[in-house]
Every structure is written in C-alpha cells, then in structure tokens.
Amino acid sequence: MATELHNLSSYNASDVPNGTGKRIGIVVSEWNTNVTSKLLEGAYETLLKFGVKPEDIIIDSVPGSFELTYGAKLLIERANLHAVIALGCVIQGETPHFTFVCQSVTQGITELNLKYNIPVIFGLLTTNSLEQAKARAGGRHGNKGDEAAITALKMIALNEKYK
Ligand SMILES: Nc1c(NC[C@H](O)[C@H](O)[C@H](O)CO)[nH]c(=O)[nH]c1=O
Ligand SMILES: CC(=O)[C@@H](O)COP(=O)(O)O
C-alpha cells in the first residue's frame, strides 16, 4: 500500500516554499467530522508553520464530500485566493454510493484545476473503514491535511514560476 511506504506527514521542510502573503482557502466536509476536523487541523497548522497568516486562511464547511466541488468553486470565484484545499473523508458503506461520491469529487476537483488558474488540492480520504481513515488523519500513516497543505504551497510556487 502506497501510504504504508510513505507517511503523509513526512516532507523535507527545506523544499517547502514560504507561504507568507499567500491566501489559501480550505473547504472541509462535515461528514465524518471526527476525521475531517483532524485533516483541517493538520492543514491549518502546516500552513501556519510555513508562514501563512491566520487571516489569510479562509475556511468554509460543506455538508458532505460531494459538495466539496461546489464549495471550492465558490472560494475560487469570490475569495481572491492563491489556492484551495478540499478536505473530506468518504468511507465505504453497504452500497455503491461510496464509488459515486468518490468519483464525483475526483472528477469535480480535476475539472476545477482545468477550468481555473489556481491549484485545487485533492485532500480526500477514500477508505474501507473508519480505522483506515483515522490512521490517515493524524494516526500511524500521518495526516492527509499536512500533505494537502504542503502540496498547496508547492503548487502556488509552481504557478507563480510561470505567471
Ligand atoms: N457517505 C459519505 C458521504 N455522503 C454524503 C455525500 O457526500 C453528500 O453530502 C450527499 O449525498 C448529499 O449530496 N459524504 C462524505 O463526505 N463521506 C461519506 O462517507
Ligand atoms: C460513502 C457513502 O455514502 C456511504 O458511506 C453511505 O453508506 P451506505 O452505502 O451504507 O448507504
């Protein structure tokens, strides 16, 4: 398993661009809030660690991961941002609904990256169990929120390289 081999919170700090002056939006799903709140905490603290000011982090919540795409679209269009991070946790249930939610968010975030000129980061956990989700939200496999924040800072720098 990829995450078994690469902890989500491991990175080389010297490779992470400074985030001072960057405005970053975070849209977070309320479904599985015991998990997504940990993702949000990881992303928020990591952004602060690399110089992003609290007042430059705009956080909004949406009911579920399916709504992450629309929430991210609103932030992109109206909040004057350098990047948006989408955070959610989709856990397999008894029905195929899991597949449709995951596919929708994946396609939606991809389309936002293609349509707009700021990076939208895919911070979605798609797990078979709550245990697997907890392990990736500050557990033994690190925190997907940390990874999403680092990715946002790196993609902002890449974007600005080609402005
Ligand atoms: N089962 C999960 C959901 N389901 C809700 C959908 O995301 C959506 O809010 C609903 O279908 C109304 O449009 N959402 C998650 O984020 N995680 C789940 O495990
Ligand atoms: C991802 C979901 O919507 C899923 O957790 C809902 O559970 P179920 O498939 O048992 O209705």
Side-chain angles (χ1 to χ4, degrees):
M1 286 171 55
T3 308
E4 289 278 358
L5 302 175
H6 175 72
N7 188 286
L8 294 166
S9 298
S10 69
Y11 53 84
N12 186 339
S14 62
D15 293 339
V16 181
N18 187 293
T20 303
K22 306 306 179 196
R23 285 172 51 84
I24 298 174
I26 303 177
V27 57
V28 57
S29 165
E30 295 165 356
W31 252 82
N32 300 312
T33 190
N34 54 331
V35 174
T36 61
S37 61
K38 297 289 188 186
L39 299 179
L40 176 60
E41 180 181 341
Y44 184 80
E45 294 301 327
T46 301
L47 291 175
L48 296 182
K49 178 179 175 181
F50 289 97
V52 181
K53 296 183 177 61
E55 59 267 29
D56 287 336
I57 303 174
I58 293 78
I59 301 170
D60 281 305
S61 63
V62 291
S65 291
F66 184 89
E67 287 75 36
L68 287 171
T69 301
Y70 191 79
K73 177 182 181 290
L74 287 175
L75 280 171
I76 293 166
E77 292 179 344
R78 307 189 188 169
N80 183 34
L81 301 170
H82 293 92
V84 173
I85 298 170
L87 299 174
C89 174
V90 190
I91 300 175
Q92 178 66 63
E94 297 176 346
T95 73
H97 196 236
F98 169 89
T99 301
F100 297 108
V101 172
C102 295
Q103 286 176 339
S104 169
V105 181
T106 304
Q107 186 60 31
I109 299 296
T110 299
E111 288 178 7
L112 291 177
N113 277 285
L114 296 173
K115 179 175 180 179
Y116 294 99
N117 293 320
I118 65 167
V120 185
I121 309 308
F122 185 65
L124 188 74
L125 292 177
T126 56
T127 67
N128 296 312
S129 67
L130 179 59
E131 187 263 340
Q132 286 180 350
K134 287 182 174 179
R136 291 157 175 80
R140 63 191 176 94
H141 291 316
N143 192 321
K144 190 88 177 157
D146 298 0
E147 178 197 58
I150 297 300
T151 302
L153 293 171
K154 289 183 175 181
M155 291 307 290
I156 289 168
L158 181 64
N159 208 13
E160 294 188 341
K161 175 181 176 183
Y162 291 100
K163 278 249 187 259

